[in-house]
Amino acid sequence: MKYRSLFFCVIFSVASPVTYSATVNGTLGVTAVVGVGCSVSSSSVTAGVVNFGSLNFGNLATINASNVDAQTTGGGSGSIVMNCSTGTPFTISFDNGQHFTGGSRAMVNSTDPAVLLSYTLYQNAARTIPWTTASPLSTTATGATDTFNVYGRIPGGQSGITSGTYNDTVQVVVSW
């Protein structure tokens, strides 16, 4: 019987191990640094160059005395979409394009490079604030996403304009 009691004591001590509980309190530091910065949305990026889309004046029967206006619409369609931290100052500027001549931007006729079609880019729908290297758009971010459309005008009354497709490429520079 003595062995039997000892046997049950050994079995009982192996079957029910002694457990201890404890609570440990501590802290975890959480930080974030929000800097002055922006993200620029677009339709595509190739080799680090953002393609903002295009400004399309459409199909024109002729260039007469009337101005021809066009504008971009939304991200990837020529508009510049910015999301910056609140209070970040930034500028958007355009260079003069590849065919700048006589003090204005121009598109070149793809089949007759000697023929140029003048045009102007503007920051506003009223087409009163030109968008040039000397006149960038300068603003301060509110923290909301901002879309900046580009407004274009082909001045009427240009002479010597022949039929064909006219193109130009303008470098966009966004700085903050």
Side-chain angles (χ1 to χ4, degrees):
M1 177 94 128
K2 187 174 172 183
Y3 293 112
R4 194 175 200 191
S5 294
L6 183 61
F7 175 74
F8 283 120
C9 285
V10 170
I11 293 294
F12 181 71
S13 65
V14 171
S16 51
V18 177
T19 58
Y20 299 99
S21 63
T23 302
V24 175
N25 292 317
T27 61
L28 170 69
V30 179
T31 61
V33 176
V34 178
V36 175
C38 300
S39 65
V40 181
S41 300
S42 66
S43 62
S44 66
V45 177
T46 304
V49 176
V50 178
N51 177 355
F52 288 104
S54 64
L55 173 65
N56 188 342
F57 287 98
N59 295 324
L60 310 173
T62 185
I63 300 296
N64 54 30
S66 300
N67 295 331
V68 178
D69 291 341
Q71 79 177 52
T72 60
T73 54
S77 298
S79 298
I80 300 157
V81 181
M82 303 278 301
N83 194 348
C84 302
S85 53
T86 303
T88 302
F90 64 92
T91 61
I92 303 170
S93 63
F94 294 163
D95 77 356
N96 291 325
Q98 296 176 327
H99 309 288
F100 187 82
T101 185
S104 69
R105 290 182 178 99
M107 294 178 272
V108 65
N109 186 317
S110 60
T111 57
D112 187 356
V115 180
L116 299 174
L117 179 61
S118 294
Y119 71 96
T120 307
L121 299 178
Y122 295 92
Q123 297 176 26
N124 62 339
R127 290 169 176 78
T128 57
I129 304 171
W131 216 331
T132 65
T133 54
S135 301
L137 182 144
S138 295
T139 191
T140 300
T142 63
T145 299
D146 291 306
T147 300
F148 299 95
N149 292 327
V150 180
Y151 302 90
R153 173 170 285 163
I154 297 173
Q158 296 183 53
S159 61
I161 304 302
T162 59
S163 64
T165 300
Y166 289 79
N167 296 295
D168 192 24
T169 300
V170 177
Q171 179 75 35
V172 180
V173 178
V174 180
S175 303
W176 60 86

